[in-house]
Amino acid sequence: MKKINVAVNGYGVIGKRVAEAVALQKDMELVGIGDVAADWRIKTAAQKYAVFANTEEGHRAMVNQKIEVAGDLNDLLDAADVVVDCAPKKFGAQNAEKYRQAGVKFIVQGGEKHETTGHSFSAENNYTLAIGRDATRVVSCNTTSIVRTLSALKRAGLLNKARGTLLRRATDPWESHKNGIMNTLVPEPEIPSHQGPDAQSVDPNLDVVTAAVKVPQTLSHLHYWTVQLTKEASKDEVLEAFGSSTRTAFINMSDDLSANNAVKELMLDLGRPHGDMYEVAIWKDMLKVEGDELYYAYLVDNQAIVIPETIDAIRALTGIESDPAKSIKKTNRSLGIRQRFI
Amino acid sequence: MKKINVAVNGYGVIGKRVAEAVALQKDMELVGIGDVAADWRIKTAAQKYAVFANTEEGHRAMVNQKIEVAGDLNDLLDAADVVVDCAPKKFGAQNAEKYRQAGVKFIVQGGEKHETTGHSFSAENNYTLAIGRDATRVVSCNTTSIVRTLSALKRAGLLNKARGTLLRRATDPWESHKNGIMNTLVPEPEIPSHQGPDAQSVDPNLDVVTAAVKVPQTLSHLHYWTVQLTKEASKDEVLEAFGSSTRTAFINMSDDLSANNAVKELMLDLGRPHGDMYEVAIWKDMLKVEGDELYYAYLVDNQAIVIPETIDAIRALTGIESDPAKSIKKTNRSLGIRQRFI
């Protein structure tokens, strides 16, 4: 079987995880990573991967830091069938032009606009629509969780409308000495916040409104949802609906998984790389159905949840797997994704 | 005019504020405060108020610390027409028996059960029902904010049902070295959380469901609400409804009041004692009405919001003012409560 050659451009919190995940796929080959920095992160990358310098300045910095440089961005793109752009927000749109000129298929992350690719991706929702396209956009962590959970309710014929409050982690842990917030709560200035409309870029028929607030912790996002169901339903019906997503796992307060630090520790104890949680973790015993109203809360690991989606997006764009369920299964197995943690 | 003699039993974050507020009322006399501790807090109290020792052990500790002791709990109750119990959660129920035996009217705080007094108080909602009673319970900070805001929508005929997500401050600032949480989010194990049912102890007809989560900051609570209105309404109609509560103030993101630390600093700049905010502060420019749905967020100063309610409860229990509006006006003026901060 011919393997797909994958380049990762931008080696930050998402890029490094995509690189690791690509390296685990039997049908993919990681040809290298591109970046412009020359700090500890890139030195670590150079121990494992071929490193390409995206700019001349970056090249000089890498040489100064004794990092072996495999080539420039053109060399990286020459070697790739598809490039996954994980550059900081907004750079993806600039890079997209270069990818198009080089004739390489590409994936951007959720920080970019839908218009950059014209398609927004969520594996369990619209994999087939991405097959054979030149480019797609894997929606953001929060949006991925929204589409994943609400699509599950929709498939079961239960979803009327959903209203959510999102507690967003302040910043990523590795840079919390730079961008952290202390002892405060920072609401997004507008309701609805952008995640609701963003979910509609994947599924325009979702009736979803979100409000969001930044909180002073770094471990994960936490969502609270109120859903108007299409009819009165039992808790079991709802649990079964969520269970139809293979990337949704249930956790329980009664297991003392009563805060996001405990869940993070569980992921580390399970031996997950970086303690990553790819699944949406829904509190099963907290979840409540009253008549035709449903209430629940879940955790989103903002650094990890989009990784399996990105792997599936690679298969969809390149067409090496036309069956969404098969791609999802391969990805889930390679990353150890499961619906029960304990 | 005969002044009402008021005792404050328990000199913590609520007790000290009640004492200060009572001292500001022309129709009340603070006869003293009771406590069992002998630390810096009580030493400060002794500079301003007569201090009574609730236990023999407390008495000895105070004498050891050279705090002048005015008497025991019986002496304090003898001097009082009404006692405001601000002892830690659950002690109020024990103390209630002593107050009854002493034949003194009393007020407990929201940490106690409704059953302890048989009446739960919120000034703008049910002042008149408390007139002449022996005892009432001022509902908690979160519940006060819920009853205050939802009653305003109800008076305007706009409220159908309300669903809220509450971000609770981790602990009170003065003891955040003891009970703080760091870099985590701690959801209440059950939905609904207790605040929704508690609001119904004041107004059984409110259709309200809450979920709550503790967040690692100490400045205030933050609520996000989704309200199903009885009909399509304009933003102006909703603002007018909220404006009918004299203890609800609007703030704006556009004034850079974009996080709760900024609002706290504003209160300090306004010269409020302890930087207290007695009002529910609703973000006006964030508030959104879409058809018959209303979305908004507001801040609750958990240490301050119940203080004016407690002052009004004193007037209601003792019957020195039978008109709720007049009591509320007196209280508001004495504390500088206003509907616009800037």
Side-chain angles (χ1 to χ4, degrees):
Chain A
M1 186 182 68
K2 183 194 173 296
K3 289 191 178 187
I4 291 293
N5 290 319
V6 181
V8 174
N9 193 22
Y11 193 74
V13 292
I14 300 298
K16 67 185 172 189
R17 287 171 169 85
V18 171
E20 285 173 5
V22 167
L24 290 171
Q25 309 307 313
K26 290 176 185 162
D27 51 357
M28 298 179 195
E29 187 78 39
L30 182 71
V31 295
I33 65 119
D35 210 298
V36 296
D39 61 10
W40 61 271
R41 298 172 303 128
I42 307 303
K43 286 179 185 173
T44 313
Q47 294 174 10
K48 297 188 280 187
Y49 312 123
V51 174
F52 295 74
N54 284 354
T55 61
E56 286 184 27
E57 198 186 332
H59 192 131
R60 278 193 298 272
M62 289 180 192
V63 170
N64 273 342
Q65 292 293 318
K66 302 192 172 57
I67 295 168
E68 191 179 339
V69 183
D72 63 12
L73 182 60
N74 286 330
D75 299 323
L76 180 61
L77 297 182
D78 279 350
D81 298 310
V82 58
V83 56
V84 182
D85 190 281
C86 303
K89 215 170 167 173
K90 311 297 175 204
F91 282 92
Q94 296 175 28
N95 291 340
E97 271 318 295
K98 298 177 191 168
Y99 306 147
R100 281 192 213 281
Q101 281 169 18
V104 181
K105 289 174 184 277
F106 65 94
I107 295 165
V108 297
Q109 296 296 319
E112 308 303 324
K113 286 195 163 60
H114 174 77
E115 291 68 35
T116 302
T117 62
H119 183 263
S120 291
F121 184 89
S122 187
E124 290 178 332
N125 188 291
N126 66 359
Y127 182 104
T128 49
L129 294 178
I131 293 177
R133 289 186 61 92
D134 285 338
T136 189
R137 163 183 171 262
V138 172
V139 289
S140 72
C141 48
N142 281 314
T143 304
T144 294
S145 75
I146 294 169
V147 173
R148 208 181 270 178
T149 51
L150 296 186
S151 296
L153 294 175
K154 190 178 166 183
R155 283 194 298 271
L158 288 171
L159 179 67
N160 181 348
K161 62 184 184 181
R163 305 293 180 252
T165 304
L166 283 51
L167 282 66
R168 297 176 55 209
R169 64 92 184 84
T171 184
D172 288 324
W174 84 273
E175 55 185 355
S176 62
H177 58 307
K178 298 181 191 171
N179 304 318
I181 53 172
M182 278 285 290
N183 203 36
T184 188
L185 299 171
V186 189
E188 283 202 22
E190 286 181 34
I191 300 174
S193 57
H194 71 276
Q195 296 88 356
D198 198 36
Q200 292 164 339
S201 74
V202 177
D203 185 343
N205 297 320
L206 291 178
D207 185 347
V208 52
V209 175
T210 50
V213 53
K214 225 186 258 187
V215 300
Q217 59 85 33
T218 60
L219 297 180
S220 71
H221 302 306
L222 169 56
H223 289 207
Y224 276 87
W225 287 90
T226 299
V227 171
Q228 182 81 50
L229 301 171
T230 50
K231 56 182 180 186
E232 294 201 3
S234 68
K235 180 164 175 169
D236 282 344
E237 282 176 271
V238 169
L239 294 178
E240 195 180 330
F242 281 136
S244 77
S245 164
T246 64
R247 292 173 179 166
T248 297
F250 293 119
I251 54 176
N252 281 300
M253 284 275 164
S254 60
D255 286 320
D256 270 349
L257 294 171
S258 53
N260 66 348
N261 61 309
V263 175
K264 179 72 185 178
E265 191 73 8
L266 172 62
M267 292 303 118
L268 289 160
D269 286 356
L270 290 176
R272 294 275 180 104
H274 316 283
D276 283 350
M277 184 169 73
Y278 308 106
E279 302 84 352
V280 176
I282 302 177
W283 271 290
K284 183 177 173 180
D285 48 3
M286 189 204 291
L287 181 148
K288 180 101 175 174
V289 183
E290 289 197 320
D292 61 356
E293 284 190 288
L294 161 65
Y295 311 98
Y296 58 98
Y298 62 69
L299 293 173
V300 180
D301 181 338
N302 67 292
Q303 300 181 122
I305 187 176
V306 298
I307 306 305
E309 305 292 332
T310 302
I311 296 299
D312 290 326
I314 294 170
R315 288 204 189 89
L317 284 192
T318 57
I320 53 169
E321 178 55 72
S322 58
D323 182 345
K326 284 188 183 165
S327 174
I328 289 168
K329 201 169 176 182
K330 285 178 202 170
T331 306
N332 288 0
R333 193 182 301 150
S334 69
L335 297 176
I337 291 175
R338 50 210 262 197
Q339 295 189 276
R340 278 165 179 254
F341 295 129
I342 51 176
Chain B
M1 184 183 70
K2 184 194 172 298
K3 289 193 178 186
I4 292 294
N5 291 320
V6 182
V8 174
N9 193 21
Y11 193 74
V13 292
I14 300 298
K16 66 184 172 188
R17 287 173 169 83
V18 171
E20 286 173 5
V22 167
L24 291 171
Q25 309 306 314
K26 292 175 182 161
D27 51 357
M28 299 179 194
E29 188 78 37
L30 182 71
V31 295
I33 65 118
D35 210 298
V36 296
D39 60 11
W40 61 271
R41 297 173 303 129
I42 307 303
K43 287 179 184 173
T44 313
Q47 295 175 10
K48 298 187 279 185
Y49 313 122
V51 173
F52 295 75
N54 283 356
T55 60
E56 287 184 25
E57 197 185 336
H59 192 132
R60 280 193 296 274
M62 289 180 193
V63 171
N64 274 342
Q65 291 294 318
K66 302 191 172 53
I67 295 168
E68 191 179 338
V69 183
D72 63 14
L73 182 59
N74 287 329
D75 299 323
L76 180 62
L77 296 183
D78 279 350
D81 299 309
V82 58
V83 56
V84 182
D85 189 283
C86 304
K89 215 170 168 173
K90 313 295 177 205
F91 282 91
Q94 296 175 30
N95 291 340
E97 270 319 294
K98 299 177 189 166
Y99 307 146
R100 282 192 213 279
Q101 282 168 20
V104 181
K105 289 175 185 279
F106 64 95
I107 294 165
V108 297
Q109 296 296 319
E112 308 303 324
K113 285 195 162 60
H114 173 78
E115 291 69 35
T116 302
T117 62
H119 184 263
S120 292
F121 184 89
S122 187
E124 291 178 331
N125 188 292
N126 66 359
Y127 183 104
T128 50
L129 294 177
I131 293 177
R133 289 186 61 93
D134 286 338
T136 190
R137 165 183 170 262
V138 171
V139 289
S140 71
C141 48
N142 280 315
T143 305
T144 295
S145 75
I146 293 169
V147 173
R148 208 181 269 176
T149 49
L150 296 186
S151 297
L153 293 175
K154 190 178 167 183
R155 284 194 298 272
L158 288 172
L159 179 67
N160 180 349
K161 62 183 185 182
R163 305 293 180 253
T165 305
L166 284 52
L167 282 67
R168 298 177 55 211
R169 64 95 185 82
T171 184
D172 287 325
W174 84 273
E175 56 186 355
S176 63
H177 59 307
K178 298 180 190 171
N179 304 318
I181 53 172
M182 277 286 289
N183 204 34
T184 187
L185 299 171
V186 189
E188 284 203 21
E190 285 181 35
I191 300 175
S193 56
H194 69 277
Q195 297 88 357
D198 198 35
Q200 292 164 339
S201 74
V202 177
D203 185 343
N205 297 320
L206 290 178
D207 185 346
V208 52
V209 175
T210 49
V213 53
K214 225 187 254 186
V215 298
Q217 60 84 32
T218 60
L219 297 180
S220 71
H221 302 306
L222 169 57
H223 290 208
Y224 276 86
W225 287 91
T226 298
V227 172
Q228 183 80 49
L229 302 171
T230 50
K231 56 182 179 186
E232 293 201 3
S234 68
K235 180 164 176 171
D236 281 346
E237 283 176 89
V238 168
L239 295 178
E240 195 181 330
F242 282 136
S244 77
S245 163
T246 64
R247 291 172 180 167
T248 296
F250 293 118
I251 53 175
N252 280 300
M253 284 276 163
S254 60
D255 286 322
D256 270 348
L257 294 170
S258 53
N260 67 347
N261 61 310
V263 175
K264 179 73 184 177
E265 190 74 8
L266 171 63
M267 293 303 117
L268 289 160
D269 287 355
L270 290 175
R272 295 276 179 102
H274 315 284
D276 284 349
M277 184 170 72
Y278 308 106
E279 303 85 350
V280 176
I282 302 178
W283 272 288
K284 183 178 173 181
D285 48 3
M286 188 204 293
L287 183 148
K288 180 102 177 175
V289 184
E290 289 197 320
D292 62 355
E293 284 189 289
L294 161 65
Y295 311 97
Y296 58 99
Y298 61 70
L299 294 172
V300 179
D301 181 338
N302 67 293
Q303 300 181 122
I305 187 174
V306 299
I307 306 306
E309 305 291 332
T310 302
I311 297 299
D312 291 326
I314 294 171
R315 289 204 188 88
L317 284 192
T318 58
I320 52 167
E321 177 54 71
S322 58
D323 181 345
K326 283 186 184 166
S327 174
I328 290 168
K329 201 168 175 180
K330 285 177 202 171
T331 306
N332 289 359
R333 195 182 300 149
S334 69
L335 297 176
I337 291 174
R338 51 209 264 197
Q339 295 189 275
R340 278 166 179 253
F341 295 127
I342 50 175

